[in-house]
Amino acid sequence: MEKIIVKSGAKLQGTIRAHGSKNSVLPLISASILASRNQVAISNVPTGLEDVATITQLLQALGIRVAVKDDVVTIQAEKFDSTEAPYELVCKMRASVTVLGPLLARKKYARVPLPGGCAIGSRPIDQHLKGLEALGAEFTIGHGYVEGFVPDQLRGNNVYLDIPSVGATQNILMAATLAKGVTNIVNAACEPEIQDLAHFLNQMGARIEGAGTPFITIEGVDFLRGTEYAVIPDRIEVGTYMIAAAITKGDVFIEHAKSKHLTSLIVKMREMGVTVLECENGIHVSGTEELKPVDIKTLPYPGFPTDLQSPMMVLQLAANGTSMATETVFEDRFMHVEEFRRMGANIKINGQTAMIEGGHSLSGTQVMATDLRAGAALVLAGLIADGVTEVSELRHIDRGYIDLVGQLKSLGAKIDRSNKETNPFFQKESLPQ
Ligand code: EPZ
């Protein structure tokens, strides 16, 4: 079984560069289905990620030509025939459901497997369907699939989302670009990834205003054409490395990071005593000897991101005193707590809130990544735990972090990735001392 093996003791130091955002590029690739003229070329794509491979394979399965070279993905969707997303790909990644809106807009028909359960709680798509129905789509659900068709044509309408769902906002936004008339999405998600999608679509010829606010207006157009576009930096990847720098009392510059996407984290880290400098071309983090406890509550953007709740818990564990973490976005996103407890962490959970008793040392042991961000958080915990920490189930981490080990190693971390079965010579002792 492949593992990440990490030892404590290093203060991270140096510069790393942020990659393009996973959660932004997945819907951008889905949105490329809408380009009936010219090809799309998306750059700054984190092409090494499993999720990016999955979405490109999904488009290829639809008959769309996709080419990947370095960090550029080129998509030629002028002509394609299939409108059915294969189960083998959708079951790997929930974001596959973002092909639903574009397929309905382009082909008036789509058959997509229901995404199913997930390690962070139930994740229905009722808001996606409700919004697309308001635009004139009709759905039947059966045998594990959602089948949608547009009997006449998509028509603009007012859509109110009960929850500011990121995926639902993306699906409705994409479909509305080719609907006849004006669509208003009220209580839309405001995440930077929504703004990125709207910029991309506008460059393709769409008419979208208000993205980044809860009120988005889309005036439908007859067609969209290909364009060249660079993805925004990955704010969650950046946040993870900011926390890594702070827990190790290090000094790290993350080039290309956009601080305005991370205000909630920056303010919370400053409250804890960490020095965070917002520079024009990145973010500089310097740790402090004495971390103060702090409470966080995850919320839709601009609130504290749920995707940083588990990495932040490591910083809270490193602080002197008791901190709280309240999770309001997902119903079951505390799976990492059991693993932290195996490392000696004192954390109590009461409903949606975790009480984290900081200031006690963690002890390295074997732990398992339960989801993508939990996996990264366990690696961070290994950076400050006594002895050796071995993190397994790396497939989760590979979905969303490009070379987590290499990046941390370049900052001086004592970390390695090893497959013990295939490498009998691997020894924990061979890690840098
Ligand atoms: C996106 O998921 C991200 N994924 C998630 O990142 C992120 O955690 C989440 O937004 C919240 O920020 C991608 O962008 C690919 P939602 P998404 O729809 O779109 C409920 C990561 O680690 N809901 O905003 O699926 C839902 O159950 C991942 O990179 C409904 O009830 O999130 C959840 O509790 C994990 N009905 C809440 O809304 C719906 O129709 C937020 O979900 C849709 C959602």
Side-chain angles (χ1 to χ4, degrees), residues 22-23 122-127 165-167 307 329-330 373:
K22 165 183 88 80
N23 286 349
S122 129
R123 295 174 73 181
I125 57 164
D126 56 305
Q127 300 299 309
S165 154
V166 175
D307 293 345
V329 178
F330 288 106
R373 308 303 170 188

Side-chain angles (χ1 to χ4, degrees), residues 3-6 379 389-391 394 397 404-405 415-417:
K3 290 184 174 178
I4 290 176
I5 303 186
V6 52
V379 173
T389 302
E390 299 185 4
V391 184
L394 304 187
I397 297 177
L404 181 67
V405 167
I415 187 166
D416 239 316
R417 181 167 175 142

Side-chain angles (χ1 to χ4, degrees), residues 104-126:
L104 288 172
R106 258 310 282 286
K107 297 286 189 183
K108 295 190 174 187
Y109 178 82
R111 188 165 183 265
V112 177
L114 288 166
C118 162
I120 56 179
S122 129
R123 295 174 73 181
I125 57 164
D126 56 305

Side-chain angles (χ1 to χ4, degrees), residues 22-24 26-27 51 94-95 120-129 163-168 170 189 191 193 235-236 306-307 328-331 333 371-373:
K22 165 183 88 80
N23 286 349
S24 210
L26 300 176
D51 278 10
R94 291 188 50 87
I120 56 179
S122 129
R123 295 174 73 181
I125 57 164
D126 56 305
Q127 300 299 309
H128 302 233
L129 303 186
I163 303 166
S165 154
V166 175
Q170 289 163 339
E191 270 69 2
E193 293 76 23
R235 63 192 169 102
I236 306 301
T306 171
D307 293 345
T328 75
V329 178
F330 288 106
E331 63 179 21
R333 209 172 190 179
D371 78 75
L372 157 61
R373 308 303 170 188

